[in-house]
Amino acid sequence: MKEILLYQHGGSGNHGCEALVRTTVSLCREAMGEDTLATLCSNAVMEDRRYALDRKVKLTENKPVLRRKSPQWALYQVNRRLLHSRFLEDRFLTERLCLKAAKESDLAIAIGGDNYCYNKGIQFWPTDRRMQQQGCKTMLFGCSIEPEDLDAAFVRQLSLFDAITVRESISYEAMGAAGVPKEKLHLVPDPAFTLESKRRPLPGRFQPGNTVGINVSPMIIGNEQTAGVTMENYVALVRDILENTDCSVALIPHVVWSYNDDRVPLRRLYEQFADTGRVVLIGDADCRVLKGYIARLRLFVGARTHATIAAYSSGVPTLVVGYSVKARGIARDLFGTEENYVLPVQSLREESDLTRAFHWLLEHEEETRAQLQAILPDYIARAHEAGRIAAQLVESGKSNWDEC
């Protein structure tokens, strides 16, 4: 019987994180055996229980690494700004319970696909290093990396992993060119492309096959270049759909963390258009149920990566309002180009920008749907390769710490 550890999980209130747990475990069990034990080190165990992840994995909770304003925290702040001591980083930032669980596992899998996409994931480096030092095999699962972040230190850090699955070609090519050992790199679609969907009864205002799904997030609002322009664009888009098509509109949240809650901007949209009778605000649910709603849309305009993956993998033509490499890379791999399929939020200037982009998708709806239908069988099949790579690591012997 094999044992795997999943770490770098922020909590299932982000349903993309939830989807990664569910699909990573399923892919590993498919390759290693259904009796494979899986432990999840989580920053939010109560969230995970709320969405029944405890039926899928054994949950263990990460303890705060540093208590704010403690003497240790103060010393760490001095080190971060002045000393830059790796010893002190490893002393104060390593996740002790996670390291203990890793020792008891055959493979430790970092499942935060986005975690190294923001600030290089520096907060995770000490734990990654200690895992390697204590002889654990480690794998980075389904990542994206901003190419301009790949300096020498970041390349050395990424090279500590025994294997890395990269979910889109822009990151994959950049990592290889920067010097991450190519034998460790594998171009494999995001595991969430394999997520099952669960179909609940639809709200009355939701027309199956003739509803446009809308997802907006505080994250993209935070990356806009002109204050307020993102919501102005979404308001203009919903108004245009209601005035110029017979479609309904479904507002679909995918992250419900208190400090980063999609329902806040979506509720503003709903309140503005509720009296039309054609707009529905979908409530919170687990990632499989949310995918079940998304799969019955006609078109989708989404900000959250895993909401758009739920749409793509269901064959729904999708416009991504993105801000990073992951959106561009996934669209490029599916369609051969990101042009017209990804609208960078940083490019929004006029309130009609999103509506114009949506009209392009509407005009090219059938060819976009046909492209998804043509590519998805092989694309989703390739996502299963991640589980087989993990199984090969488990069978291959000790970690390669000494090589790095």
Side-chain angles (χ1 to χ4, degrees):
M1 183 184 299
K2 307 302 182 185
E3 295 188 32
I4 60 173
L5 170 73
L6 279 58
Y7 71 109
Q8 295 185 6
H9 173 68
S12 293
N14 181 324
H15 295 299
C17 296
E18 179 203 355
L20 289 173
V21 173
R22 291 186 182 279
T23 54
T24 299
V25 172
S26 292
L27 293 175
C28 288
R29 286 178 175 156
E30 175 184 86
M32 300 180 197
E34 290 300 320
D35 60 347
T36 299
L37 298 178
T39 298
L40 175 66
C41 279
S42 171
N43 292 340
V45 163
M46 293 303 294
E47 284 181 17
D48 301 323
R49 291 194 179 116
R50 184 182 311 144
Y51 302 105
L53 266 191
D54 52 337
R55 300 177 190 172
K56 188 85 173 176
V57 297
K58 176 185 174 182
L59 295 172
T60 182
E61 187 162 21
N62 278 336
K63 301 297 183 183
V65 177
L66 285 174
R67 183 168 53 83
R68 190 171 177 80
K69 297 187 178 179
S70 65
Q72 294 87 349
W73 181 87
L75 180 56
Y76 168 69
Q77 296 303 319
V78 172
N79 182 63
R80 185 167 68 91
R81 291 170 171 80
L82 298 175
L83 304 177
H84 307 296
S85 163
R86 179 179 288 191
F87 172 80
L88 289 175
E89 286 180 2
D90 290 352
R91 174 67 180 83
F92 293 130
L93 291 187
T94 49
E95 299 170 358
R96 306 299 172 78
L97 293 179
C98 187
L99 289 170
K100 180 180 178 183
K103 279 186 175 180
E104 300 167 358
S105 301
D106 296 296
L107 178 65
I109 301 175
I111 59 168
D114 291 351
N115 285 343
Y116 296 85
C117 200
Y118 307 121
N119 193 33
K120 308 177 190 177
I122 287 173
Q123 67 271 33
F124 302 109
W125 292 15
T127 296
D128 293 339
R129 288 195 294 261
R130 287 289 298 277
M131 279 192 178
Q132 290 283 350
Q133 288 167 345
Q134 66 186 22
C136 302
K137 293 181 194 171
T138 59
M139 180 176 181
L140 177 54
F141 218 82
C143 71
S144 289
I145 305 291
E146 292 288 352
E148 59 269 24
D149 285 345
L150 285 162
D151 58 21
F154 195 16
V155 168
R156 284 195 301 272
Q157 185 69 27
L158 290 168
S159 299
L160 296 181
F161 287 99
D162 294 284
I164 302 172
T165 59
V166 191
R167 62 183 166 187
E168 36 76 22
S169 58
I170 297 176
S171 293
Y172 174 79
E173 292 166 4
M175 293 166 75
V180 179
K182 293 188 178 180
E183 65 273 15
K184 296 184 179 185
L185 293 175
H186 307 268
L187 180 59
V188 181
D190 191 294
F193 272 90
T194 69
L195 181 70
E196 65 175 315
S197 66
K198 285 192 170 183
R199 299 199 171 194
R200 287 184 177 171
L202 292 171
R205 297 177 179 181
F206 193 124
Q207 303 177 63
N210 197 37
T211 295
V212 178
I214 302 285
N215 167 256
V216 61
S217 75
M219 284 283 284
I220 63 163
I221 293 172
N223 281 276
E224 65 188 8
Q225 297 297 302
T226 304
V229 72
T230 303
M231 286 304 295
E232 290 172 3
N233 268 264
Y234 272 91
V235 168
L237 173 62
V238 174
R239 182 181 297 115
D240 183 84
I241 292 168
L242 297 176
E243 291 178 354
N244 297 307
T245 78
D246 62 353
C247 296
S248 297
V249 173
L251 307 174
I252 304 175
H254 215 254
V255 174
V256 295
W257 284 333
S258 60
Y259 55 90
N260 192 3
D261 191 340
D262 295 354
R263 293 172 298 182
V264 174
L266 289 174
R267 195 172 292 115
R268 288 170 55 194
L269 278 176
Y270 177 73
E271 289 169 354
Q272 188 153 346
F273 296 103
D275 59 1
T276 67
R278 289 167 57 194
V279 179
V280 58
L281 179 60
I282 300 297
D284 184 35
D286 78 43
C287 60
R288 299 163 300 176
V289 173
L290 293 174
K291 183 171 181 176
Y293 290 123
I294 290 169
R296 287 174 279 182
L297 296 169
R298 176 179 171 182
L299 300 163
F300 186 56
V301 179
R304 296 290 186 181
T305 299
H306 283 94
T308 64
I309 287 174
Y312 284 145
S313 61
S314 302
V316 176
T318 298
L319 171 64
V320 180
V321 186
Y323 59 90
S324 68
V325 65
K326 55 189 173 178
R328 294 186 291 112
I330 293 171
R332 185 181 297 185
D333 293 346
L334 289 171
F335 302 108
T337 179
E338 60 267 40
E339 186 177 359
N340 296 313
Y341 294 102
V342 177
L343 179 64
V345 68
Q346 300 93 331
S347 73
L348 295 178
R349 296 291 184 270
E350 302 175 0
E351 69 172 22
S352 59
D353 288 342
L354 181 56
T355 301
R356 282 197 297 270
F358 173 76
H359 275 277
W360 186 94
L361 185 67
L362 190 61
E363 291 163 9
H364 295 82
E365 174 183 356
E366 293 308 320
E367 65 188 73
T368 301
R369 184 175 287 109
Q371 170 64 9
L372 287 171
Q373 290 172 349
I375 197 172
L376 280 173
D378 178 65
Y379 192 86
I380 293 173
R382 288 197 295 114
H384 289 260
E385 183 65 22
R388 293 189 283 273
I389 294 166
Q392 290 167 5
L393 276 183
V394 168
E395 298 297 333
S396 66
K398 71 180 184 67
S399 169
N400 64 359
W401 165 256
D402 292 336
E403 301 172 14
C404 302

